[in-house]
Amino acid sequence: MLAIIAGSNFHLRWKETGRGKIKTPFGPVEEIRWGELGEIRCFFLPRHGPDGKVPPHRINHRAHLFALKDLGVKAIIGVNSTGSLRRDLPPGKIVIPHDFLSPWSILSFFDGEAFHVTPSLDEGLREKLIEAAEKARVDFAREGVYVQTLGPRLETKAEIAMLKTFGHVVGMTMAHEATLACEIGMPYASICSVDNYAHGLLPEPLSQEEIARRARENAEKINRILEEFEGWES
C-alpha cells in the first residue's frame, strides 16, 4: 500500500473512493483519502489539513505518520514545495532529493527516551521515482539536498547565503516526515517542486502568490511522474 503526502497546491490525479478522519495517540488526522492511482491502491494525506490552512510549523506530522503506519501503508512519497538555493536550478524544475538536513529542531516519536535512528531517504523508492520521471519526460534533477527550516516565514538573505553552501532546495516539511518515517520503519522518498528562487538569489522580492502559481504549474509534472510510478513492494 502506497501513501502520498502533499501540500495544499497539489491535487492528485487519481480515482478517489473515500475519505475520513482518524484518531491517533498524537491527535486526530482531520482528513485522509483513499483510492486508486492507476492499478495501485493508495492513500492521499493533505498535510495542511482538508482546507489547506494549517501552517507548516503547526502540522501534526507525528499523527500523520502514525496513522499511515496503522493503516498498513508500506511506503510514502512526499510531494514538497521548495525554493531553489542555486541559480542553475530554476523554478519549474523537479528535484528527487537524495539527502536532507535540518539545522534546527526535528520531530521524533521518542521524546522521552534515548532512541537513535540514522535518518535517510529510501534509495529503492527513490530509484522508482527516478524511473517514473524519466518515463514521464519531465525536466528533473535526480539528486539534491533538501534543507528544512522552521517556517512559517520565509528565510532571510543571510540564512539563504549560508544554506546554499549545504543544499539545493529549501522547504519546511520534508525532514520531519522523512525522519519520523525512518523511526517507524517506513520507506520514504520525496518529489520536490521548485516553485521559486530563495530570498536573495534574485533582486525581486518573493510573493506568496507567485510561489503558489509555480506550485500549481509543477503539479502537472508531478502527476505525470506518479502516473508512471509502477508501485512498491516492501
Side-chain angles (χ1 to χ4, degrees):
M1 185 81 73
L2 179 71
I4 296 167
I5 306 176
S8 53
N9 289 311
F10 181 76
H11 300 282
L12 182 63
R13 200 157 57 205
W14 69 327
K15 180 182 178 182
E16 182 181 323
T17 57
R19 59 178 67 186
K21 179 176 179 178
I22 298 177
K23 294 180 179 179
T24 81
F26 301 96
V29 177
E30 294 298 334
E31 184 174 280
I32 189 165
R33 307 166 191 174
W34 52 89
E36 298 173 358
L37 180 64
E39 298 181 356
I40 304 170
R41 293 176 59 212
C42 182
F43 287 102
F44 179 80
L45 200 161
R47 68 166 63 86
H48 296 283
D51 57 4
K53 293 183 179 179
V54 180
H57 64 300
R58 296 195 179 279
I59 295 171
N60 193 342
H61 294 286
R62 284 182 283 200
H64 289 177
L65 272 292
F66 185 95
L68 294 178
K69 179 75 170 182
D70 199 46
L71 288 167
V73 169
K74 300 300 184 183
I76 300 171
I77 296 171
V79 176
N80 301 92
S81 175
T82 64
S84 173
L85 293 169
R86 308 291 178 94
R87 289 292 296 270
D88 60 355
L89 189 61
K93 191 98 166 182
I94 302 297
V95 178
I96 300 176
H98 70 284
D99 208 348
F100 62 92
L101 67 91
S102 178
W104 295 274
S105 61
I106 200 78
L107 292 172
S108 173
F109 283 114
F110 301 97
D111 284 342
E113 59 183 291
F115 179 87
H116 303 294
V117 65
T118 302
S120 62
L121 297 168
D122 187 86
E123 188 59 28
L125 187 56
R126 226 178 61 80
E127 285 297 326
K128 284 188 172 289
L129 288 176
I130 289 170
E131 291 172 7
E134 289 173 340
K135 291 178 183 177
R137 299 181 183 274
V138 303
D139 185 20
F140 80 103
R142 62 180 55 235
E143 62 179 28
V145 174
Y146 177 107
V147 182
Q148 180 174 298
T149 57
L150 293 176
R153 70 163 176 85
L154 298 174
E155 302 74 33
T156 67
K157 291 181 181 180
E159 288 166 344
I160 293 302
M162 175 187 70
L163 296 177
K164 70 182 183 181
T165 66
F166 302 106
H168 299 83
V169 293
V170 60
M172 301 176 188
T173 56
M174 190 267 272
H176 286 317
E177 293 174 353
T179 301
L180 291 168
C182 285
E183 287 187 345
I184 55 176
M186 296 180 68
Y188 180 101
S190 169
I191 306 173
C192 289
S193 168
V194 181
D195 300 329
N196 59 282
Y197 281 114
H199 191 194
L201 266 69
L202 294 180
E204 299 84 7
L206 300 174
S207 74
Q208 188 65 37
E209 293 75 16
E210 178 67 11
I211 294 171
R213 184 181 68 81
R214 289 284 189 179
R216 290 191 294 270
E217 290 175 356
N218 278 347
E220 167 65 23
K221 300 175 185 178
I222 294 171
N223 268 306
R224 286 162 54 195
I225 294 171
L226 292 173
E227 287 167 353
E228 295 290 348
F229 186 79
E230 293 185 350
W232 174 257
E233 298 296 334
S234 64

mmCIF file of all heavy atoms in Angstrom, residues 67-95:
data_model
loop_
_atom_site.group_PDB
_atom_site.id
_atom_site.type_symbol
_atom_site.label_atom_id
_atom_site.label_comp_id
_atom_site.label_asym_id
_atom_site.label_seq_id
_atom_site.Cartn_x
_atom_site.Cartn_y
_atom_site.Cartn_z
ATOM 1 N N ALA A 67 -0.774 7.419 11.689
ATOM 2 C CA ALA A 67 -1.998 6.966 11.035
ATOM 3 C C ALA A 67 -1.696 6.121 9.806
ATOM 4 O O ALA A 67 -2.328 5.078 9.578
ATOM 5 C CB ALA A 67 -2.858 8.170 10.652
ATOM 6 N N LEU A 68 -0.740 6.551 9.007
ATOM 7 C CA LEU A 68 -0.397 5.795 7.802
ATOM 8 C C LEU A 68 0.164 4.428 8.149
ATOM 9 O O LEU A 68 -0.162 3.428 7.501
ATOM 10 C CB LEU A 68 0.593 6.598 6.952
ATOM 11 C CG LEU A 68 0.052 7.898 6.355
ATOM 12 C CD1 LEU A 68 1.144 8.633 5.585
ATOM 13 C CD2 LEU A 68 -1.154 7.635 5.452
ATOM 14 N N LYS A 69 1.020 4.376 9.160
ATOM 15 C CA LYS A 69 1.547 3.082 9.608
ATOM 16 C C LYS A 69 0.415 2.178 10.073
ATOM 17 O O LYS A 69 0.368 0.986 9.741
ATOM 18 C CB LYS A 69 2.548 3.307 10.737
ATOM 19 C CG LYS A 69 3.159 2.037 11.309
ATOM 20 C CD LYS A 69 4.204 1.453 10.382
ATOM 21 C CE LYS A 69 4.978 0.328 11.059
ATOM 22 N NZ LYS A 69 6.030 -0.235 10.186
ATOM 23 N N ASP A 70 -0.512 2.736 10.832
ATOM 24 C CA ASP A 70 -1.635 1.966 11.375
ATOM 25 C C ASP A 70 -2.556 1.459 10.270
ATOM 26 O O ASP A 70 -3.195 0.410 10.412
ATOM 27 C CB ASP A 70 -2.410 2.847 12.360
ATOM 28 C CG ASP A 70 -3.283 2.043 13.305
ATOM 29 O OD1 ASP A 70 -2.799 1.035 13.848
ATOM 30 O OD2 ASP A 70 -4.459 2.425 13.503
ATOM 31 N N LEU A 71 -2.623 2.175 9.163
ATOM 32 C CA LEU A 71 -3.463 1.776 8.039
ATOM 33 C C LEU A 71 -2.815 0.713 7.147
ATOM 34 O O LEU A 71 -3.416 0.256 6.185
ATOM 35 C CB LEU A 71 -3.810 3.001 7.190
ATOM 36 C CG LEU A 71 -4.814 3.980 7.817
ATOM 37 C CD1 LEU A 71 -4.834 5.293 7.044
ATOM 38 C CD2 LEU A 71 -6.211 3.365 7.844
ATOM 39 N N GLY A 72 -1.577 0.357 7.452
ATOM 40 C CA GLY A 72 -0.899 -0.675 6.680
ATOM 41 C C GLY A 72 -0.105 -0.172 5.498
ATOM 42 O O GLY A 72 0.278 -0.954 4.617
ATOM 43 N N VAL A 73 0.153 1.127 5.468
ATOM 44 C CA VAL A 73 0.956 1.696 4.375
ATOM 45 C C VAL A 73 2.375 1.133 4.428
ATOM 46 O O VAL A 73 2.973 1.015 5.505
ATOM 47 C CB VAL A 73 0.975 3.239 4.474
ATOM 48 C CG1 VAL A 73 2.007 3.840 3.540
ATOM 49 C CG2 VAL A 73 -0.411 3.791 4.178
ATOM 50 N N LYS A 74 2.924 0.800 3.272
ATOM 51 C CA LYS A 74 4.264 0.215 3.181
ATOM 52 C C LYS A 74 5.323 1.188 2.694
ATOM 53 O O LYS A 74 6.517 0.944 2.861
ATOM 54 C CB LYS A 74 4.235 -1.001 2.244
ATOM 55 C CG LYS A 74 3.290 -2.105 2.688
ATOM 56 C CD LYS A 74 3.659 -2.644 4.054
ATOM 57 C CE LYS A 74 2.748 -3.821 4.445
ATOM 58 N NZ LYS A 74 3.044 -4.306 5.817
ATOM 59 N N ALA A 75 4.914 2.286 2.061
ATOM 60 C CA ALA A 75 5.876 3.264 1.554
ATOM 61 C C ALA A 75 5.178 4.597 1.377
ATOM 62 O O ALA A 75 3.973 4.650 1.102
ATOM 63 C CB ALA A 75 6.479 2.800 0.229
ATOM 64 N N ILE A 76 5.946 5.684 1.539
ATOM 65 C CA ILE A 76 5.389 7.032 1.462
ATOM 66 C C ILE A 76 6.168 7.865 0.455
ATOM 67 O O ILE A 76 7.401 7.878 0.464
ATOM 68 C CB ILE A 76 5.447 7.736 2.831
ATOM 69 C CG1 ILE A 76 4.645 6.953 3.885
ATOM 70 C CG2 ILE A 76 4.917 9.166 2.722
ATOM 71 C CD1 ILE A 76 4.843 7.486 5.294
ATOM 72 N N ILE A 77 5.426 8.574 -0.395
ATOM 73 C CA ILE A 77 6.013 9.579 -1.276
ATOM 74 C C ILE A 77 5.558 10.946 -0.779
ATOM 75 O O ILE A 77 4.353 11.207 -0.677
ATOM 76 C CB ILE A 77 5.576 9.379 -2.734
ATOM 77 C CG1 ILE A 77 6.094 8.048 -3.274
ATOM 78 C CG2 ILE A 77 6.077 10.540 -3.617
ATOM 79 C CD1 ILE A 77 5.538 7.674 -4.640
ATOM 80 N N GLY A 78 6.510 11.803 -0.454
ATOM 81 C CA GLY A 78 6.189 13.171 -0.087
ATOM 82 C C GLY A 78 6.310 14.078 -1.298
ATOM 83 O O GLY A 78 7.291 14.005 -2.034
ATOM 84 N N VAL A 79 5.300 14.902 -1.523
ATOM 85 C CA VAL A 79 5.366 15.935 -2.559
ATOM 86 C C VAL A 79 5.594 17.252 -1.828
ATOM 87 O O VAL A 79 4.753 17.673 -1.030
ATOM 88 C CB VAL A 79 4.075 15.980 -3.398
ATOM 89 C CG1 VAL A 79 4.137 17.123 -4.407
ATOM 90 C CG2 VAL A 79 3.855 14.650 -4.106
ATOM 91 N N ASN A 80 6.744 17.883 -2.063
ATOM 92 C CA ASN A 80 7.171 19.022 -1.254
ATOM 93 C C ASN A 80 7.441 20.254 -2.106
ATOM 94 O O ASN A 80 8.199 20.198 -3.072
ATOM 95 C CB ASN A 80 8.430 18.665 -0.463
ATOM 96 C CG ASN A 80 8.223 17.473 0.451
ATOM 97 O OD1 ASN A 80 8.477 16.335 0.054
ATOM 98 N ND2 ASN A 80 7.743 17.722 1.643
ATOM 99 N N SER A 81 6.832 21.360 -1.734
ATOM 100 C CA SER A 81 7.100 22.648 -2.381
ATOM 101 C C SER A 81 8.394 23.225 -1.825
ATOM 102 O O SER A 81 8.600 23.248 -0.607
ATOM 103 C CB SER A 81 5.941 23.615 -2.113
ATOM 104 O OG SER A 81 6.220 24.895 -2.619
ATOM 105 N N THR A 82 9.273 23.698 -2.710
ATOM 106 C CA THR A 82 10.578 24.179 -2.271
ATOM 107 C C THR A 82 10.985 25.447 -3.009
ATOM 108 O O THR A 82 10.474 25.762 -4.077
ATOM 109 C CB THR A 82 11.680 23.123 -2.503
ATOM 110 O OG1 THR A 82 11.816 22.881 -3.912
ATOM 111 C CG2 THR A 82 11.373 21.823 -1.783
ATOM 112 N N GLY A 83 11.961 26.131 -2.404
ATOM 113 C CA GLY A 83 12.639 27.224 -3.069
ATOM 114 C C GLY A 83 14.024 26.782 -3.496
ATOM 115 O O GLY A 83 14.662 25.977 -2.804
ATOM 116 N N SER A 84 14.487 27.270 -4.619
ATOM 117 C CA SER A 84 15.810 26.897 -5.112
ATOM 118 C C SER A 84 16.891 27.682 -4.386
ATOM 119 O O SER A 84 16.791 28.902 -4.200
ATOM 120 C CB SER A 84 15.915 27.159 -6.612
ATOM 121 O OG SER A 84 17.250 26.958 -7.057
ATOM 122 N N LEU A 85 17.964 26.988 -3.996
ATOM 123 C CA LEU A 85 19.129 27.615 -3.388
ATOM 124 C C LEU A 85 20.231 27.866 -4.405
ATOM 125 O O LEU A 85 21.294 28.380 -4.052
ATOM 126 C CB LEU A 85 19.665 26.733 -2.253
ATOM 127 C CG LEU A 85 18.759 26.595 -1.026
ATOM 128 C CD1 LEU A 85 19.266 25.493 -0.104
ATOM 129 C CD2 LEU A 85 18.641 27.902 -0.276
ATOM 130 N N ARG A 86 19.997 27.496 -5.665
ATOM 131 C CA ARG A 86 21.026 27.608 -6.703
ATOM 132 C C ARG A 86 20.469 28.330 -7.927
ATOM 133 O O ARG A 86 19.364 28.038 -8.379
ATOM 134 C CB ARG A 86 21.514 26.213 -7.116
ATOM 135 C CG ARG A 86 21.946 25.305 -5.959
ATOM 136 C CD ARG A 86 23.226 25.772 -5.292
ATOM 137 N NE ARG A 86 23.602 24.923 -4.174
ATOM 138 C CZ ARG A 86 24.436 23.890 -4.260
ATOM 139 N NH1 ARG A 86 24.955 23.562 -5.438
ATOM 140 N NH2 ARG A 86 24.740 23.180 -3.184
ATOM 141 N N ARG A 87 21.222 29.243 -8.502
ATOM 142 C CA ARG A 87 20.768 29.957 -9.694
ATOM 143 C C ARG A 87 20.578 29.013 -10.876
ATOM 144 O O ARG A 87 19.754 29.276 -11.756
ATOM 145 C CB ARG A 87 21.789 31.051 -10.061
ATOM 146 C CG ARG A 87 21.807 32.236 -9.106
ATOM 147 C CD ARG A 87 20.532 33.066 -9.193
ATOM 148 N NE ARG A 87 20.348 33.680 -10.482
ATOM 149 C CZ ARG A 87 20.802 34.886 -10.814
ATOM 150 N NH1 ARG A 87 21.461 35.613 -9.928
ATOM 151 N NH2 ARG A 87 20.591 35.379 -12.011
ATOM 152 N N ASP A 88 21.339 27.906 -10.913
ATOM 153 C CA ASP A 88 21.219 26.963 -12.029
ATOM 154 C C ASP A 88 20.138 25.904 -11.798
ATOM 155 O O ASP A 88 20.060 24.925 -12.537
ATOM 156 C CB ASP A 88 22.564 26.297 -12.315
ATOM 157 C CG ASP A 88 23.108 25.514 -11.124
ATOM 158 O OD1 ASP A 88 22.496 25.560 -10.039
ATOM 159 O OD2 ASP A 88 24.155 24.849 -11.286
ATOM 160 N N LEU A 89 19.304 26.102 -10.769
ATOM 161 C CA LEU A 89 18.179 25.205 -10.500
ATOM 162 C C LEU A 89 16.906 26.060 -10.517
ATOM 163 O O LEU A 89 16.423 26.512 -9.480
ATOM 164 C CB LEU A 89 18.364 24.527 -9.139
ATOM 165 C CG LEU A 89 17.402 23.399 -8.764
ATOM 166 C CD1 LEU A 89 17.499 22.241 -9.750
ATOM 167 C CD2 LEU A 89 17.689 22.917 -7.350
ATOM 168 N N PRO A 90 16.347 26.314 -11.703
ATOM 169 C CA PRO A 90 15.293 27.323 -11.831
ATOM 170 C C PRO A 90 13.919 26.821 -11.394
ATOM 171 O O PRO A 90 13.661 25.610 -11.360
ATOM 172 C CB PRO A 90 15.301 27.616 -13.337
ATOM 173 C CG PRO A 90 15.737 26.328 -13.948
ATOM 174 C CD PRO A 90 16.745 25.746 -12.992
ATOM 175 N N PRO A 91 13.015 27.744 -11.064
ATOM 176 C CA PRO A 91 11.619 27.372 -10.839
ATOM 177 C C PRO A 91 11.060 26.641 -12.054
ATOM 178 O O PRO A 91 11.378 26.963 -13.203
ATOM 179 C CB PRO A 91 10.931 28.730 -10.634
ATOM 180 C CG PRO A 91 12.009 29.616 -10.112
ATOM 181 C CD PRO A 91 13.261 29.178 -10.818
ATOM 182 N N GLY A 92 10.235 25.643 -11.778
ATOM 183 C CA GLY A 92 9.717 24.792 -12.838
ATOM 184 C C GLY A 92 10.402 23.446 -12.888
ATOM 185 O O GLY A 92 9.902 22.505 -13.496
ATOM 186 N N LYS A 93 11.555 23.346 -12.254
ATOM 187 C CA LYS A 93 12.302 22.089 -12.202
ATOM 188 C C LYS A 93 11.723 21.186 -11.110
ATOM 189 O O LYS A 93 11.172 21.660 -10.117
ATOM 190 C CB LYS A 93 13.772 22.387 -11.898
ATOM 191 C CG LYS A 93 14.711 21.216 -12.060
ATOM 192 C CD LYS A 93 15.406 21.268 -13.391
ATOM 193 C CE LYS A 93 16.580 20.312 -13.450
ATOM 194 N NZ LYS A 93 17.295 20.393 -14.736
ATOM 195 N N ILE A 94 11.881 19.895 -11.291
ATOM 196 C CA ILE A 94 11.534 18.902 -10.282
ATOM 197 C C ILE A 94 12.837 18.302 -9.747
ATOM 198 O O ILE A 94 13.751 18.013 -10.523
ATOM 199 C CB ILE A 94 10.640 17.791 -10.868
ATOM 200 C CG1 ILE A 94 9.353 18.383 -11.461
ATOM 201 C CG2 ILE A 94 10.324 16.739 -9.819
ATOM 202 C CD1 ILE A 94 8.461 19.080 -10.485
ATOM 203 N N VAL A 95 12.911 18.116 -8.438
ATOM 204 C CA VAL A 95 14.086 17.503 -7.820
ATOM 205 C C VAL A 95 13.651 16.278 -7.033
ATOM 206 O O VAL A 95 12.663 16.327 -6.282
ATOM 207 C CB VAL A 95 14.802 18.494 -6.877
ATOM 208 C CG1 VAL A 95 15.998 17.825 -6.190
ATOM 209 C CG2 VAL A 95 15.272 19.727 -7.639
#
